[in-house]
Amino acid sequence: MTSAFRTLAVLGAGNMGSGIAQKMATEGFDVVLVDVDEEKVARGIGIIDRTLREAVDRGIMRADRTAAIRERVHGTARFDDLRDADLVVEAVFEDRALKQDVFKRLEAACRPDTILATNTSSYLVREIASAVKTPERVLGLHYFFHPAKNRLVEVIPGTATDPGVVRRAWALQEQLGKIPIASTDTSGFVVNRFFVVWLMEAIRMLDDRIANAITIDEIAKRTFGVGMGPFELMNVSGVPIALHASTTIGNAFGPLYGPPERLEKQVESREPWALGGTVDVSAEPTVSDRLMAGVFLAAAALVDEGVAMSYDTDIGARVGLRWPRGPFEMMNRRGTARALELVTALAMKWQMQVPSSLAELGKTNAPFLLEYVKSRPDNGVVTITVNRPDAMNALNETVGQQLAGIFTSMSRQPETTGVVIAGAGRSFVAGADIRFFIRSIERHEVARIEKLTEDLQAFLLAVQNCPKPVVARIHGLALGGGVELALACDYIVATPNATMGFPETGIGIYPGLGGTQRTTRRIGTGLTKWLVLTGQIISAQEALAIGLIDAVATRDELDAAAARLLAGGPSLERRPAAPPAAYQKLADFFTANDVEAIRQGTAKTGGDEQLEKAMKAVGTKAPIALRIAASLIDEGSRVPLEQGLQMELAHLREIFATKDALAGLLSIGRTRPVFEGA
Ligand SMILES: NC(=O)c1ccc[n+]([C@@H]2O[C@H](COP(=O)([O-])OP(=O)(O)OC[C@H]3O[C@@H](n4cnc5c(N)ncnc54)[C@H](O)[C@@H]3O)[C@@H](O)[C@H]2O)c1
């Protein structure tokens, strides 16, 4: 077994290194930050201080928190100080020989089990790993500027990297609040590969006199829904960086990716791109089509070559570049037939192959599959991961269909002995997709909500009735539908930092995926009402204490704990055990009192502070949702589960027709709504 990460380290305290160290310290790790001399170290620490000060000034962080973060960063010029590091990220200058040299020194200075990562943008991980005797512990962790704020990280195993090292480094990124995507060890990895074509095509259009820079920027902003066009962006991030990236990627994949002469001249001039003049809207179709063609070609090539999955590429664009949609979502929206037309024209010009994935789908205008759900078999155990990390893995129609499809096919394979259900990124599953609910209500399509709920319920029953054991592996936030998904599994294991709850009645609805049914079968009606009617978010320890989950394990021990639970086989029917005294009081209160009396604050609490607090919480929730939820909990507990689930479905039309439901759903991320009871 491997120990948990405690001390992390960053080598190179420049723009990237200082930001990476800041993020690590922000998430509670001790960080050793190394640079060549005290002056460079001080400069790096200075960058952290400035960024933290900005965060305080902008009200994002409190001053005492930033002081604690700073205390966790230990600047040093001595490699010897790396001996306690569990993982080191190298972020020195982009120079191959230098990187190979520092990796040799890292290998000598660190423990044999320390993971060594490089943040290189343009070299291959295997080139850097070739310099050391232990390449199995070397991988690429490619962060994006600003690494304390941008959540994307590309995780790149080299040819010799141990899969266990990749898994541990991946889990650490999630612990750091990063959104990792997998890339193979190839020039430009995922995001820079299509991003560089976007930049280079913009420059070539300027060269071809199709439009001036400001026009190209403006059209790029509109087409891709971004805040800055390619020229403004190069001016901000550095024109030489664009030249460097396009040169290396161009060397690997041909001149479409490489720099036009115009870029080299611009770098020589040391001037930013001139953004004067006026915008010429007539250039829109040409500019827009060419930018899309370049991005689509490069993105489809990534899938053809197996560098990245289509959905991960989209995540890369959304999280790393802040595009509202990734290349594959864009192709699907415009139609792959149209995307194929654009790409074919560009490919002809450059005498390149049209990527076969696009050529195939484009023939019938069929969309690219976006992998909202991933599966990974490992020694008989299949881990199924909901993969919408930037939407907290919210459940929608596509996620539901893919989950059900993958679960059915994987669980039926004879070699599968058990299934683990997990979430990508920092959350497990943060419930159902609220935007889908809102859209459906506004378009008078509540039937779609009913259909989604019915389908998800059927999937959860399939999970529950699966003859092979299923474990929910909760490593972060699980809300509403997320908890309901977990409750359909035989066992639930959660990390100490995981939190769970049913926020539905606070947004005008009730849990409709078994939350009012399976919960009572685990913890009884009293505590179920406490959770559902108050919306109380509980910790993993509390959930364990009341019997809602089966085990708590640290992040590093989570897989082992899941495996132990799976070894127990499918669980039998559960009977709720008596809760600890503190919770018994809550259970009794919610059993003895009518929901209306609790809502109105007239139930007798005997002055008990905890009960008063719970009663007050209920008073802020939507009255109709409370009434339906309470009766579902009571009545459902007296009938077989399947019947109780049907009762949940039966009230959907009523609840989604209320004013409170729409007001509640629209209030998310804003101030708490005042419910009318209508
Ligand atoms: N800047 C970006 O947007 C970006 C994005 C992703 C990845 N990267 C990669 O991150 C790495 C660092 O880039 P940066 O922009 O932070 O560079 P930078 O020039 O700001 O910082 C590099 C730091 O490394 C230090 N350094 C050099 N040799 C060293 C040694 N032998 N030991 C310890 N420290 C040493 C330097 O003193 C400097 O502080 C590069 O590999 C770059 O390609 C950069």
Side-chain angles (χ1 to χ4, degrees):
M1 188 143 32
T2 44
S3 59
F5 290 105
R6 278 194 191 85
T7 303
L8 304 176
V10 179
L11 183 68
N15 291 319
M16 292 301 289
S18 62
I20 297 166
Q22 180 192 325
K23 182 65 180 158
M24 290 167 166
T26 303
E27 299 304 325
F29 290 95
D30 279 316
V31 190
V32 181
L33 179 60
V34 186
D35 210 304
V36 282
D37 55 39
E38 294 301 334
E39 189 199 323
K40 296 277 172 14
V41 172
R43 201 191 55 190
I45 302 261
I47 301 177
I48 299 179
D49 282 338
R50 250 193 331 274
T51 322
L52 289 175
R53 230 181 357 257
E54 269 167 32
V56 174
D57 290 346
R58 293 172 55 200
I60 300 168
M61 241 185 239
R62 283 180 26 193
D64 52 348
R65 177 140 186 255
T66 61
I69 294 169
R70 269 290 283 105
E71 268 175 33
R72 287 193 282 270
V73 180
H74 312 285
T76 174
R78 291 159 34 103
F79 262 66
D80 284 354
D81 292 340
L82 290 167
R83 65 185 170 274
D84 290 330
D86 301 307
L87 177 143
V88 186
V89 176
E90 167 276 312
V92 302
F93 301 133
E94 190 71 356
D95 175 317
R96 188 192 284 116
L98 172 67
K99 284 188 190 277
Q100 290 179 332
D101 177 57
V102 295
F103 264 78
K104 283 200 189 106
R105 294 176 59 197
L106 281 176
E107 189 173 44
C110 297
R111 286 194 322 254
D113 64 336
T114 304
I115 296 177
L116 307 178
T118 173
N119 183 42
T120 181
S121 297
S122 50
Y123 303 118
L124 298 177
V125 174
R126 57 180 178 275
E127 290 177 69
I128 294 166
S130 70
V132 298
K133 292 189 218 85
T134 49
E136 63 278 4
R137 55 163 157 162
V138 177
L139 85 166
L141 290 175
H142 186 231
Y143 294 93
F144 287 72
F145 192 79
H146 184 296
K149 300 175 191 169
N150 192 314
R151 297 176 68 200
L152 190 70
V153 57
E154 293 171 336
V155 178
I156 311 118
T159 24
T161 317
D162 176 348
V165 164
V166 181
R167 267 204 295 281
R168 292 191 67 213
W170 184 287
L172 174 68
Q173 301 316 302
E174 293 187 333
Q175 232 176 312
L176 291 171
K178 292 283 171 191
I179 296 186
I181 60 171
S183 171
T184 59
D185 192 17
T186 180
S187 185
F189 309 129
V190 182
V191 171
N192 280 347
R193 179 80 171 271
F194 62 84
F195 181 58
V196 111
V197 182
W198 191 71
L199 299 178
M200 296 310 119
E201 279 296 273
I203 299 171
R204 281 182 206 116
M205 283 190 278
L206 185 69
D207 231 4
D208 297 347
R209 298 180 179 279
I210 289 172
N212 61 9
I214 189 170
T215 300
I216 296 171
D217 267 5
E218 200 50 42
I219 296 170
K221 285 190 328 203
R222 264 191 260 166
T223 308
F224 291 84
V226 291
M228 265 190 232
F231 293 102
E232 190 184 354
L233 204 77
M234 281 187 270
N235 284 350
V236 171
S237 59
V239 184
I241 291 189
L243 175 61
H244 192 251
S246 63
T247 305
T248 45
I249 301 177
N251 285 341
F253 296 106
L256 170 68
Y257 298 89
E261 239 181 83
R262 177 80 181 244
L263 175 57
E264 286 163 19
K265 290 214 181 90
Q266 194 69 31
V267 172
E268 275 164 30
S269 77
R270 296 171 179 263
E271 289 292 322
W273 295 103
L275 295 176
T278 50
V279 174
D280 168 17
V281 284
S282 72
E284 170 119 28
T286 317
V287 172
S288 170
D289 283 358
R290 240 175 98 173
L291 290 175
M292 280 193 290
V295 167
F296 294 170
L297 190 155
L302 287 172
V303 167
D304 270 32
E305 295 163 17
V307 175
M309 299 196 313
S310 45
Y311 195 64
D312 277 358
T313 306
D314 280 355
I315 293 174
R318 287 202 306 264
V319 180
L321 304 177
R322 301 202 167 88
W323 290 8
R325 288 191 186 83
F328 292 96
E329 290 160 311
M330 287 181 75
M331 283 191 264
N332 285 354
R333 277 169 83 93
R334 286 181 201 248
T336 52
R338 174 75 183 132
L340 176 59
E341 247 177 71
L342 294 175
V343 168
T344 305
L346 187 72
M348 274 190 14
K349 182 170 154 195
W350 291 90
Q351 297 180 328
M352 291 169 78
Q353 291 273 332
V354 173
S356 59
S357 52
L358 177 60
E360 199 50 44
L361 295 169
K363 265 194 261 172
T364 56
N365 201 26
F368 276 94
L369 170 75
L370 303 179
E371 303 92 343
Y372 287 137
V373 179
K374 299 195 275 199
S375 66
R376 181 173 54 81
D378 184 12
N379 279 327
V381 175
V382 178
T383 301
I384 298 178
T385 306
V386 183
N387 185 37
R388 291 182 80 204
D390 52 338
M392 290 159 95
N393 303 321
L395 303 172
N396 64 15
E397 288 165 322
T398 321
V399 175
Q401 282 157 11
Q402 291 188 11
L403 258 177
I406 290 180
F407 182 83
T408 310
S409 77
M410 296 308 280
S411 62
R412 284 191 187 151
Q413 308 225 343
E415 59 272 28
T416 300
T417 54
V419 179
V420 175
I421 297 185
R426 205 171 212 179
S427 309
F428 175 64
V429 170
D433 194 325
I434 300 296
R435 276 188 315 186
F436 168 77
F437 283 168
I438 294 172
R439 240 187 355 255
S440 303
I441 296 174
E442 287 177 341
R443 292 180 186 163
H444 305 286
E445 293 174 347
V446 173
R448 276 183 75 177
I449 300 179
E450 284 182 307
K451 174 80 171 73
L452 172 66
T453 314
E454 221 172 297
D455 290 350
L456 285 171
Q457 275 205 2
F459 161 61
L460 296 191
L461 271 175
V463 171
Q464 177 170 343
N465 296 331
C466 178
K468 296 172 187 172
V470 185
V471 171
R473 177 184 175 284
I474 302 184
H475 69 295
L477 186 68
L479 291 178
V483 184
E484 292 171 302
L485 168 60
L487 287 169
C489 301
D490 295 293
Y491 306 100
I492 304 174
V493 56
T495 51
N497 69 322
T499 49
M500 283 150 254
F502 290 108
E504 284 90 341
T505 55
I507 51 169
I509 55 177
Y510 63 84
L513 295 175
T516 65
Q517 305 302 313
R518 289 194 180 87
T519 319
T520 60
R521 285 157 176 84
R522 276 202 178 227
I523 61 172
T525 54
L527 284 181
T528 300
K529 282 189 187 167
W530 169 57
L531 285 178
V532 172
L533 306 182
T534 62
Q536 178 69 42
I537 304 287
I538 58 171
S539 68
Q541 287 301 347
E542 286 180 277
L544 184 67
I546 62 175
L548 191 69
I549 67 172
D550 302 284
V552 174
T554 62
R555 188 63 216 249
D556 262 42
E557 282 158 7
L558 201 52
D559 286 327
R564 274 198 300 278
L565 290 168
L566 284 177
S571 69
L572 301 169
E573 183 83 22
R574 292 166 193 268
R575 295 239 164 271
Y583 296 96
Q584 188 63 56
K585 185 174 61 182
L586 285 161
D588 292 344
F589 177 73
F590 279 90
T591 305
N593 290 287
D594 182 67
V595 59
E596 223 13 58
I598 302 175
R599 186 180 76 79
Q600 289 176 357
T602 56
K604 298 264 178 301
T605 61
D608 183 282
E609 216 173 291
Q610 205 182 5
L611 299 182
E612 284 290 334
K613 188 176 150 232
M615 184 153 77
K616 211 164 150 203
V618 177
T620 65
K621 310 295 170 195
I624 302 173
L626 287 173
R627 180 168 45 72
I628 297 175
S631 84
L632 285 171
I633 293 168
D634 283 332
E635 289 171 30
S637 69
R638 295 192 276 269
V639 298
L641 176 73
E642 280 76 0
Q643 208 176 324
L645 294 171
Q646 285 300 319
M647 287 161 37
E648 278 186 344
L649 288 177
H651 291 280
L652 288 176
R653 208 162 267 270
E654 178 189 351
I655 198 70
F656 280 100
T658 61
K659 279 194 199 156
D660 284 351
L662 186 58
L665 292 163
L666 286 170
S667 76
I668 290 177
R670 307 204 180 100
T671 48
R672 193 193 284 173
V674 178
F675 292 113
E676 296 177 22

